[in-house]
Amino acid sequence: MALIVHKYGGTSMGSVERIKNVAKRVAKWHKAGHRMVVVPSAMSGETNRLLGLAKEISAHPDPRELDMIAATGEQVSVGLLALALKAEGLDAVSYAGWQVAVKTDSAFTKARISEIDSERVLKDLDEGKVVVITGFQGVDPNGHITTLGRGGSDTSAVAMAAALGADECLIYTDVDGVYTTDPRVVDDARRLDKITFEEMLEMASLGSKVLQIRSVEFAGKYQVKTRVLSSLTDPLCPLEQEMRSGTLITFEEDDTMEKAVISGIAFQRDEGKITVRGVPDRPGIAYQILGPIADANIDVDMIIQNQSVEGKTDFTFTVGRGEYQRAMEILKTSVQAHVGAAEIVGDPKVSKVSVVGVGMRSHVGIASTAFRTLAEEGINIQMISTSEIKISVLIDEKYMELAVRALHKAFELDQA
Ligand code: ASP
Ligand code: MG
């Protein structure tokens, strides 16, 4: 008998019919003897609808009120699911985040979980109840309702599993696992049976949006065994089959010899590249350029500073395309003259493609295979960055899909 947390995404909770299916699935697990906690998202489209209403009233809504509004989506979900579970003959109880309590800081719309009280939930579980807890929300030290940022129910579920010492956290979603790359770009992308949490972190941060990245960080920090799997299968399919489906996020590097060196090709289509040319090479220059960008809350990704020539250097970095214009403006209005840069140039149409795999640590030649592959396709690399388990290149947006396909093939990711 294990303690299991299930998380269901918006699509899985998308209609009364689907909620009934969720209840059937949870009932199957409960009948097999497991202690069950369920964390659902709002019904699909609901959070957008709620935030849209707020925007109709105010162009810049107070974040505290936004959280008050957005949190109701999940509250509806837990109530409906508890009803559906009761209809399945189970004893079920629903809670909002503050009732548990899921404690967070006060950063409205992007709060972080600080602590979860497990007492109440454990007591219910001891009494044989299925406990249904809202995803996405918590309560701050002053009793205000907070939300965890879009997609935050993943993090709620993993954090809950960590707090309860759950045996496994199953994230049910509308895809059947984590793939070697986006199947919309590469036809023969394959589902991975396992991925290490470090690889998952890279894949998630590099644009494969299966899980909210903070949930992966949580899984890693607290070693929560987490599985991503489909909610679109028959809810009454055999439990043993379901327990082995999807993709398991693991903590050890795989011991099997056959393990591929590379696990996946991740990409971020919408990047922009900015170069500050001819800046004097002196202490503080990077800070003077990137400080104002950070102050404007713009995330900077790849950064390169060139070798200086006659005391001058070039400084290049990338930002999300949506923030490219704003970053350019900040640099032109408040940085260029201040640091004495010759010019500021950029390209808003670049993409980042990354080869990810923990196996890279113990294998040489991964970078050269990647670079040769791109060269053979005639793709020019504009920037390169590496970590222990990934190699990223920045290229012209035009060639992104070609690069992903070529690398996927070069590393034989299409072969099981
Ligand atoms: N309902 C929230 C959202 O749409 C949280 C979630 O679904 O994970 O972002
Ligand atoms: Mg989601």
mmCIF file of all heavy atoms in Angstrom, residues 1-2 4 6 20-38 84-91 125 128-130 235-240 242-243:
data_model
loop_
_atom_site.group_PDB
_atom_site.id
_atom_site.type_symbol
_atom_site.label_atom_id
_atom_site.label_comp_id
_atom_site.label_asym_id
_atom_site.label_seq_id
_atom_site.Cartn_x
_atom_site.Cartn_y
_atom_site.Cartn_z
ATOM 1 N N MET A 1 0.851 -1.200 0.000
ATOM 2 C CA MET A 1 0.000 0.000 0.000
ATOM 3 C C MET A 1 0.882 1.244 0.000
ATOM 4 O O MET A 1 1.712 1.428 0.867
ATOM 5 C CB MET A 1 -0.880 -0.014 1.249
ATOM 6 C CG MET A 1 -1.892 1.085 1.248
ATOM 7 S SD MET A 1 -3.173 0.782 2.470
ATOM 8 C CE MET A 1 -2.704 1.926 3.729
ATOM 9 N N ALA A 2 0.688 2.057 -1.006
ATOM 10 C CA ALA A 2 1.562 3.230 -1.155
ATOM 11 C C ALA A 2 0.757 4.515 -1.035
ATOM 12 O O ALA A 2 -0.462 4.508 -1.205
ATOM 13 C CB ALA A 2 2.250 3.151 -2.516
ATOM 14 N N ILE A 4 0.077 7.817 -2.873
ATOM 15 C CA ILE A 4 0.221 8.264 -4.256
ATOM 16 C C ILE A 4 -0.443 9.624 -4.444
ATOM 17 O O ILE A 4 -1.552 9.847 -3.953
ATOM 18 C CB ILE A 4 -0.472 7.262 -5.216
ATOM 19 C CG1 ILE A 4 0.068 5.830 -5.036
ATOM 20 C CG2 ILE A 4 -0.378 7.717 -6.662
ATOM 21 C CD1 ILE A 4 1.435 5.584 -5.623
ATOM 22 N N HIS A 6 -1.845 12.079 -7.417
ATOM 23 C CA HIS A 6 -2.178 12.237 -8.832
ATOM 24 C C HIS A 6 -2.384 13.713 -9.126
ATOM 25 O O HIS A 6 -3.020 14.406 -8.338
ATOM 26 C CB HIS A 6 -3.516 11.542 -9.164
ATOM 27 C CG HIS A 6 -3.398 10.067 -9.380
ATOM 28 N ND1 HIS A 6 -4.444 9.311 -9.866
ATOM 29 C CD2 HIS A 6 -2.381 9.202 -9.205
ATOM 30 C CE1 HIS A 6 -4.071 8.039 -9.965
ATOM 31 N NE2 HIS A 6 -2.825 7.950 -9.551
ATOM 32 N N LYS A 20 -15.561 12.828 -14.439
ATOM 33 C CA LYS A 20 -16.054 11.495 -14.026
ATOM 34 C C LYS A 20 -15.017 10.417 -14.337
ATOM 35 O O LYS A 20 -14.839 9.467 -13.577
ATOM 36 C CB LYS A 20 -17.379 11.166 -14.732
ATOM 37 C CG LYS A 20 -18.561 11.972 -14.194
ATOM 38 C CD LYS A 20 -19.827 11.588 -14.931
ATOM 39 C CE LYS A 20 -21.027 12.374 -14.439
ATOM 40 N NZ LYS A 20 -22.202 12.189 -15.321
ATOM 41 N N ASN A 21 -14.344 10.577 -15.472
ATOM 42 C CA ASN A 21 -13.280 9.625 -15.822
ATOM 43 C C ASN A 21 -12.111 9.697 -14.842
ATOM 44 O O ASN A 21 -11.536 8.676 -14.475
ATOM 45 C CB ASN A 21 -12.765 9.884 -17.240
ATOM 46 C CG ASN A 21 -13.628 9.191 -18.278
ATOM 47 O OD1 ASN A 21 -14.332 8.227 -17.973
ATOM 48 N ND2 ASN A 21 -13.582 9.694 -19.497
ATOM 49 N N VAL A 22 -11.765 10.922 -14.443
ATOM 50 C CA VAL A 22 -10.701 11.084 -13.443
ATOM 51 C C VAL A 22 -11.107 10.329 -12.171
ATOM 52 O O VAL A 22 -10.311 9.581 -11.595
ATOM 53 C CB VAL A 22 -10.448 12.584 -13.136
ATOM 54 C CG1 VAL A 22 -9.562 12.739 -11.894
ATOM 55 C CG2 VAL A 22 -9.789 13.278 -14.334
ATOM 56 N N ALA A 23 -12.358 10.502 -11.764
ATOM 57 C CA ALA A 23 -12.836 9.835 -10.539
ATOM 58 C C ALA A 23 -12.753 8.312 -10.681
ATOM 59 O O ALA A 23 -12.356 7.610 -9.747
ATOM 60 C CB ALA A 23 -14.274 10.270 -10.243
ATOM 61 N N LYS A 24 -13.078 7.814 -11.865
ATOM 62 C CA LYS A 24 -13.001 6.360 -12.089
ATOM 63 C C LYS A 24 -11.564 5.871 -11.940
ATOM 64 O O LYS A 24 -11.298 4.832 -11.351
ATOM 65 C CB LYS A 24 -13.482 6.014 -13.510
ATOM 66 C CG LYS A 24 -14.978 6.104 -13.692
ATOM 67 C CD LYS A 24 -15.408 5.288 -14.914
ATOM 68 C CE LYS A 24 -16.910 5.410 -15.131
ATOM 69 N NZ LYS A 24 -17.250 6.530 -16.056
ATOM 70 N N ARG A 25 -10.649 6.655 -12.494
ATOM 71 C CA ARG A 25 -9.243 6.259 -12.437
ATOM 72 C C ARG A 25 -8.739 6.284 -10.991
ATOM 73 O O ARG A 25 -8.080 5.346 -10.530
ATOM 74 C CB ARG A 25 -8.401 7.202 -13.313
ATOM 75 C CG ARG A 25 -7.003 6.689 -13.597
ATOM 76 C CD ARG A 25 -6.198 7.684 -14.424
ATOM 77 N NE ARG A 25 -6.722 7.922 -15.755
ATOM 78 C CZ ARG A 25 -6.478 7.164 -16.823
ATOM 79 N NH1 ARG A 25 -5.712 6.099 -16.694
ATOM 80 N NH2 ARG A 25 -6.980 7.469 -18.000
ATOM 81 N N VAL A 26 -9.075 7.346 -10.287
ATOM 82 C CA VAL A 26 -8.626 7.463 -8.893
ATOM 83 C C VAL A 26 -9.248 6.329 -8.065
ATOM 84 O O VAL A 26 -8.570 5.715 -7.227
ATOM 85 C CB VAL A 26 -9.009 8.848 -8.309
ATOM 86 C CG1 VAL A 26 -8.694 8.910 -6.813
ATOM 87 C CG2 VAL A 26 -8.272 9.961 -9.055
ATOM 88 N N ALA A 27 -10.492 6.018 -8.333
ATOM 89 C CA ALA A 27 -11.166 4.945 -7.592
ATOM 90 C C ALA A 27 -10.452 3.610 -7.824
ATOM 91 O O ALA A 27 -10.283 2.814 -6.895
ATOM 92 C CB ALA A 27 -12.631 4.849 -8.030
ATOM 93 N N LYS A 28 -10.007 3.406 -9.061
ATOM 94 C CA LYS A 28 -9.276 2.164 -9.376
ATOM 95 C C LYS A 28 -8.014 2.053 -8.512
ATOM 96 O O LYS A 28 -7.729 1.000 -7.936
ATOM 97 C CB LYS A 28 -8.910 2.173 -10.870
ATOM 98 C CG LYS A 28 -8.071 1.002 -11.307
ATOM 99 C CD LYS A 28 -7.729 1.088 -12.791
ATOM 100 C CE LYS A 28 -6.676 2.136 -13.084
ATOM 101 N NZ LYS A 28 -6.381 2.257 -14.517
ATOM 102 N N TRP A 29 -7.286 3.143 -8.392
ATOM 103 C CA TRP A 29 -6.058 3.151 -7.580
ATOM 104 C C TRP A 29 -6.394 2.931 -6.098
ATOM 105 O O TRP A 29 -5.698 2.216 -5.387
ATOM 106 C CB TRP A 29 -5.308 4.474 -7.750
ATOM 107 C CG TRP A 29 -4.503 4.540 -9.014
ATOM 108 C CD1 TRP A 29 -4.982 4.738 -10.275
ATOM 109 C CD2 TRP A 29 -3.095 4.385 -9.136
ATOM 110 N NE1 TRP A 29 -3.953 4.730 -11.188
ATOM 111 C CE2 TRP A 29 -2.780 4.513 -10.510
ATOM 112 C CE3 TRP A 29 -2.051 4.160 -8.236
ATOM 113 C CZ2 TRP A 29 -1.475 4.419 -10.995
ATOM 114 C CZ3 TRP A 29 -0.748 4.079 -8.710
ATOM 115 C CH2 TRP A 29 -0.471 4.204 -10.078
ATOM 116 N N HIS A 30 -7.446 3.578 -5.658
ATOM 117 C CA HIS A 30 -7.839 3.468 -4.248
ATOM 118 C C HIS A 30 -8.252 2.039 -3.921
ATOM 119 O O HIS A 30 -7.866 1.487 -2.889
ATOM 120 C CB HIS A 30 -8.987 4.457 -3.975
ATOM 121 C CG HIS A 30 -9.328 4.585 -2.526
ATOM 122 N ND1 HIS A 30 -10.385 3.907 -1.952
ATOM 123 C CD2 HIS A 30 -8.743 5.292 -1.538
ATOM 124 C CE1 HIS A 30 -10.439 4.202 -0.661
ATOM 125 N NE2 HIS A 30 -9.463 5.040 -0.377
ATOM 126 N N LYS A 31 -8.987 1.448 -4.843
ATOM 127 C CA LYS A 31 -9.439 0.063 -4.611
ATOM 128 C C LYS A 31 -8.273 -0.909 -4.580
ATOM 129 O O LYS A 31 -8.345 -1.963 -3.942
ATOM 130 C CB LYS A 31 -10.462 -0.355 -5.683
ATOM 131 C CG LYS A 31 -11.848 0.175 -5.347
ATOM 132 C CD LYS A 31 -12.877 -0.141 -6.414
ATOM 133 C CE LYS A 31 -14.106 0.735 -6.197
ATOM 134 N NZ LYS A 31 -14.632 1.271 -7.469
ATOM 135 N N ALA A 32 -7.182 -0.545 -5.269
ATOM 136 C CA ALA A 32 -5.993 -1.406 -5.243
ATOM 137 C C ALA A 32 -5.238 -1.258 -3.922
ATOM 138 O O ALA A 32 -4.190 -1.869 -3.724
ATOM 139 C CB ALA A 32 -5.078 -1.072 -6.420
ATOM 140 N N GLY A 33 -5.766 -0.419 -3.022
ATOM 141 C CA GLY A 33 -5.180 -0.323 -1.678
ATOM 142 C C GLY A 33 -4.286 0.889 -1.438
ATOM 143 O O GLY A 33 -3.667 0.996 -0.388
ATOM 144 N N HIS A 34 -4.218 1.806 -2.417
ATOM 145 C CA HIS A 34 -3.326 2.962 -2.239
ATOM 146 C C HIS A 34 -4.016 4.121 -1.524
ATOM 147 O O HIS A 34 -5.224 4.304 -1.655
ATOM 148 C CB HIS A 34 -2.798 3.421 -3.595
ATOM 149 C CG HIS A 34 -2.011 2.362 -4.297
ATOM 150 N ND1 HIS A 34 -0.907 1.770 -3.731
ATOM 151 C CD2 HIS A 34 -2.190 1.756 -5.502
ATOM 152 C CE1 HIS A 34 -0.424 0.860 -4.556
ATOM 153 N NE2 HIS A 34 -1.195 0.816 -5.634
ATOM 154 N N ARG A 35 -3.218 4.872 -0.795
ATOM 155 C CA ARG A 35 -3.716 6.109 -0.166
ATOM 156 C C ARG A 35 -3.594 7.218 -1.201
ATOM 157 O O ARG A 35 -2.502 7.468 -1.708
ATOM 158 C CB ARG A 35 -2.869 6.431 1.069
ATOM 159 C CG ARG A 35 -3.085 5.472 2.226
ATOM 160 C CD ARG A 35 -1.821 5.237 3.031
ATOM 161 N NE ARG A 35 -1.316 6.390 3.755
ATOM 162 C CZ ARG A 35 -1.686 6.710 5.000
ATOM 163 N NH1 ARG A 35 -2.559 5.980 5.646
ATOM 164 N NH2 ARG A 35 -1.168 7.754 5.603
ATOM 165 N N MET A 36 -4.704 7.869 -1.519
ATOM 166 C CA MET A 36 -4.725 8.760 -2.680
ATOM 167 C C MET A 36 -4.949 10.233 -2.341
ATOM 168 O O MET A 36 -5.896 10.591 -1.653
ATOM 169 C CB MET A 36 -5.860 8.330 -3.627
ATOM 170 C CG MET A 36 -5.749 6.908 -4.167
ATOM 171 S SD MET A 36 -4.235 6.634 -5.101
ATOM 172 C CE MET A 36 -4.397 7.847 -6.401
ATOM 173 N N VAL A 37 -4.062 11.074 -2.902
ATOM 174 C CA VAL A 37 -4.243 12.525 -2.863
ATOM 175 C C VAL A 37 -4.306 12.990 -4.311
ATOM 176 O O VAL A 37 -3.501 12.550 -5.135
ATOM 177 C CB VAL A 37 -3.066 13.209 -2.136
ATOM 178 C CG1 VAL A 37 -3.156 14.732 -2.239
ATOM 179 C CG2 VAL A 37 -3.024 12.769 -0.676
ATOM 180 N N VAL A 38 -5.269 13.834 -4.638
ATOM 181 C CA VAL A 38 -5.418 14.280 -6.022
ATOM 182 C C VAL A 38 -5.335 15.803 -6.088
ATOM 183 O O VAL A 38 -5.982 16.503 -5.298
ATOM 184 C CB VAL A 38 -6.767 13.820 -6.619
ATOM 185 C CG1 VAL A 38 -6.797 14.094 -8.119
ATOM 186 C CG2 VAL A 38 -6.998 12.346 -6.354
ATOM 187 N N ALA A 84 -17.650 13.749 -7.770
ATOM 188 C CA ALA A 84 -17.543 12.604 -8.692
ATOM 189 C C ALA A 84 -16.969 11.387 -7.972
ATOM 190 O O ALA A 84 -17.368 10.249 -8.236
ATOM 191 C CB ALA A 84 -16.680 12.984 -9.900
ATOM 192 N N LEU A 85 -16.021 11.618 -7.066
ATOM 193 C CA LEU A 85 -15.445 10.507 -6.303
ATOM 194 C C LEU A 85 -16.484 9.887 -5.370
ATOM 195 O O LEU A 85 -16.571 8.665 -5.211
ATOM 196 C CB LEU A 85 -14.229 10.989 -5.507
ATOM 197 C CG LEU A 85 -12.980 11.279 -6.355
ATOM 198 C CD1 LEU A 85 -11.978 12.128 -5.587
ATOM 199 C CD2 LEU A 85 -12.322 9.968 -6.805
ATOM 200 N N LYS A 86 -17.303 10.744 -4.767
ATOM 201 C CA LYS A 86 -18.375 10.231 -3.901
ATOM 202 C C LYS A 86 -19.354 9.402 -4.723
ATOM 203 O O LYS A 86 -19.834 8.357 -4.273
ATOM 204 C CB LYS A 86 -19.116 11.384 -3.209
ATOM 205 C CG LYS A 86 -18.325 12.015 -2.056
ATOM 206 C CD LYS A 86 -19.045 13.265 -1.561
ATOM 207 C CE LYS A 86 -18.174 14.160 -0.706
ATOM 208 N NZ LYS A 86 -18.077 13.721 0.687
ATOM 209 N N ALA A 87 -19.618 9.859 -5.938
ATOM 210 C CA ALA A 87 -20.519 9.111 -6.811
ATOM 211 C C ALA A 87 -19.940 7.738 -7.156
ATOM 212 O O ALA A 87 -20.667 6.811 -7.497
ATOM 213 C CB ALA A 87 -20.806 9.908 -8.091
ATOM 214 N N GLU A 88 -18.607 7.627 -7.074
ATOM 215 C CA GLU A 88 -17.940 6.331 -7.287
ATOM 216 C C GLU A 88 -17.955 5.487 -6.016
ATOM 217 O O GLU A 88 -17.347 4.417 -5.966
ATOM 218 C CB GLU A 88 -16.482 6.541 -7.721
ATOM 219 C CG GLU A 88 -16.302 7.002 -9.159
ATOM 220 C CD GLU A 88 -16.740 5.954 -10.173
ATOM 221 O OE1 GLU A 88 -16.482 4.760 -9.937
ATOM 222 O OE2 GLU A 88 -17.374 6.324 -11.176
ATOM 223 N N GLY A 89 -18.571 6.014 -4.984
ATOM 224 C CA GLY A 89 -18.673 5.263 -3.727
ATOM 225 C C GLY A 89 -17.503 5.475 -2.783
ATOM 226 O O GLY A 89 -17.351 4.758 -1.783
ATOM 227 N N LEU A 90 -16.638 6.475 -3.072
ATOM 228 C CA LEU A 90 -15.499 6.729 -2.188
ATOM 229 C C LEU A 90 -15.833 7.834 -1.204
ATOM 230 O O LEU A 90 -16.692 8.676 -1.454
ATOM 231 C CB LEU A 90 -14.272 7.151 -2.996
ATOM 232 C CG LEU A 90 -13.767 6.180 -4.046
ATOM 233 C CD1 LEU A 90 -12.515 6.725 -4.687
ATOM 234 C CD2 LEU A 90 -13.486 4.820 -3.420
ATOM 235 N N ASP A 91 -15.110 7.844 -0.099
ATOM 236 C CA ASP A 91 -15.208 8.949 0.838
ATOM 237 C C ASP A 91 -14.166 9.969 0.380
ATOM 238 O O ASP A 91 -12.970 9.655 0.351
ATOM 239 C CB ASP A 91 -14.902 8.419 2.249
ATOM 240 C CG ASP A 91 -15.281 9.439 3.310
ATOM 241 O OD1 ASP A 91 -15.793 10.517 2.928
ATOM 242 O OD2 ASP A 91 -15.051 9.147 4.495
ATOM 243 N N LEU A 125 -6.333 10.714 5.272
ATOM 244 C CA LEU A 125 -5.889 9.489 4.599
ATOM 245 C C LEU A 125 -6.011 8.301 5.549
ATOM 246 O O LEU A 125 -6.447 7.214 5.152
ATOM 247 C CB LEU A 125 -4.449 9.632 4.105
ATOM 248 C CG LEU A 125 -4.231 10.602 2.938
ATOM 249 C CD1 LEU A 125 -2.736 10.788 2.672
ATOM 250 C CD2 LEU A 125 -4.933 10.120 1.664
ATOM 251 N N GLY A 128 -9.198 6.768 5.548
ATOM 252 C CA GLY A 128 -9.594 6.119 4.301
ATOM 253 C C GLY A 128 -10.155 7.063 3.257
ATOM 254 O O GLY A 128 -10.696 6.626 2.231
ATOM 255 N N LYS A 129 -10.008 8.365 3.492
ATOM 256 C CA LYS A 129 -10.559 9.325 2.526
ATOM 257 C C LYS A 129 -9.595 9.561 1.363
ATOM 258 O O LYS A 129 -8.374 9.445 1.515
ATOM 259 C CB LYS A 129 -10.798 10.671 3.203
ATOM 260 C CG LYS A 129 -11.957 10.648 4.182
ATOM 261 C CD LYS A 129 -12.148 12.005 4.817
ATOM 262 C CE LYS A 129 -13.245 11.905 5.869
ATOM 263 N NZ LYS A 129 -13.090 12.843 6.960
ATOM 264 N N VAL A 130 -10.192 9.903 0.216
ATOM 265 C CA VAL A 130 -9.389 10.446 -0.887
ATOM 266 C C VAL A 130 -9.377 11.952 -0.685
ATOM 267 O O VAL A 130 -10.437 12.566 -0.510
ATOM 268 C CB VAL A 130 -10.014 10.100 -2.258
ATOM 269 C CG1 VAL A 130 -9.232 10.776 -3.377
ATOM 270 C CG2 VAL A 130 -10.047 8.586 -2.464
ATOM 271 N N PRO A 235 -9.738 4.875 -18.350
ATOM 272 C CA PRO A 235 -9.486 5.002 -16.907
ATOM 273 C C PRO A 235 -9.488 3.655 -16.177
ATOM 274 O O PRO A 235 -8.912 3.539 -15.102
ATOM 275 C CB PRO A 235 -10.631 5.887 -16.405
ATOM 276 C CG PRO A 235 -11.628 5.953 -17.496
ATOM 277 C CD PRO A 235 -10.928 5.636 -18.777
ATOM 278 N N LEU A 236 -10.090 2.654 -16.795
ATOM 279 C CA LEU A 236 -10.140 1.345 -16.133
ATOM 280 C C LEU A 236 -9.098 0.362 -16.671
ATOM 281 O O LEU A 236 -9.159 -0.838 -16.387
ATOM 282 C CB LEU A 236 -11.549 0.756 -16.253
ATOM 283 C CG LEU A 236 -12.642 1.611 -15.585
ATOM 284 C CD1 LEU A 236 -14.019 0.996 -15.784
ATOM 285 C CD2 LEU A 236 -12.353 1.821 -14.103
ATOM 286 N N CYS A 237 -8.127 0.871 -17.417
ATOM 287 C CA CYS A 237 -7.073 -0.009 -17.924
ATOM 288 C C CYS A 237 -6.322 -0.628 -16.740
ATOM 289 O O CYS A 237 -6.348 -0.084 -15.646
ATOM 290 C CB CYS A 237 -6.111 0.758 -18.832
ATOM 291 S SG CYS A 237 -5.132 1.994 -17.965
ATOM 292 N N PRO A 238 -5.655 -1.778 -16.954
ATOM 293 C CA PRO A 238 -5.001 -2.452 -15.825
ATOM 294 C C PRO A 238 -3.983 -1.555 -15.118
ATOM 295 O O PRO A 238 -3.206 -0.857 -15.766
ATOM 296 C CB PRO A 238 -4.300 -3.636 -16.488
ATOM 297 C CG PRO A 238 -4.978 -3.833 -17.792
ATOM 298 C CD PRO A 238 -5.517 -2.510 -18.211
ATOM 299 N N LEU A 239 -4.022 -1.575 -13.810
ATOM 300 C CA LEU A 239 -3.166 -0.703 -13.002
ATOM 301 C C LEU A 239 -1.679 -0.932 -13.276
ATOM 302 O O LEU A 239 -0.902 0.014 -13.372
ATOM 303 C CB LEU A 239 -3.464 -0.949 -11.515
ATOM 304 C CG LEU A 239 -2.939 0.101 -10.548
ATOM 305 C CD1 LEU A 239 -3.684 1.401 -10.696
ATOM 306 C CD2 LEU A 239 -3.050 -0.395 -9.115
ATOM 307 N N GLU A 240 -1.303 -2.220 -13.435
ATOM 308 C CA GLU A 240 0.123 -2.545 -13.638
ATOM 309 C C GLU A 240 0.633 -1.882 -14.917
ATOM 310 O O GLU A 240 1.752 -1.391 -14.984
ATOM 311 C CB GLU A 240 0.346 -4.065 -13.749
ATOM 312 C CG GLU A 240 0.109 -4.835 -12.463
ATOM 313 C CD GLU A 240 -1.359 -4.793 -12.027
ATOM 314 O OE1 GLU A 240 -2.247 -4.835 -12.931
ATOM 315 O OE2 GLU A 240 -1.622 -4.698 -10.816
ATOM 316 N N GLU A 242 -0.649 0.838 -16.308
ATOM 317 C CA GLU A 242 -0.613 2.282 -16.100
ATOM 318 C C GLU A 242 0.626 2.688 -15.293
ATOM 319 O O GLU A 242 1.260 3.704 -15.586
ATOM 320 C CB GLU A 242 -1.882 2.704 -15.353
ATOM 321 C CG GLU A 242 -2.116 4.185 -15.363
ATOM 322 C CD GLU A 242 -3.520 4.521 -14.864
ATOM 323 O OE1 GLU A 242 -4.476 3.782 -15.183
ATOM 324 O OE2 GLU A 242 -3.646 5.507 -14.146
ATOM 325 N N MET A 243 0.988 1.869 -14.316
ATOM 326 C CA MET A 243 2.125 2.189 -13.450
ATOM 327 C C MET A 243 3.437 2.211 -14.206
ATOM 328 O O MET A 243 4.412 2.771 -13.741
ATOM 329 C CB MET A 243 2.229 1.151 -12.323
ATOM 330 C CG MET A 243 1.182 1.328 -11.270
ATOM 331 S SD MET A 243 1.163 -0.077 -10.153
ATOM 332 C CE MET A 243 2.270 0.495 -8.892
#
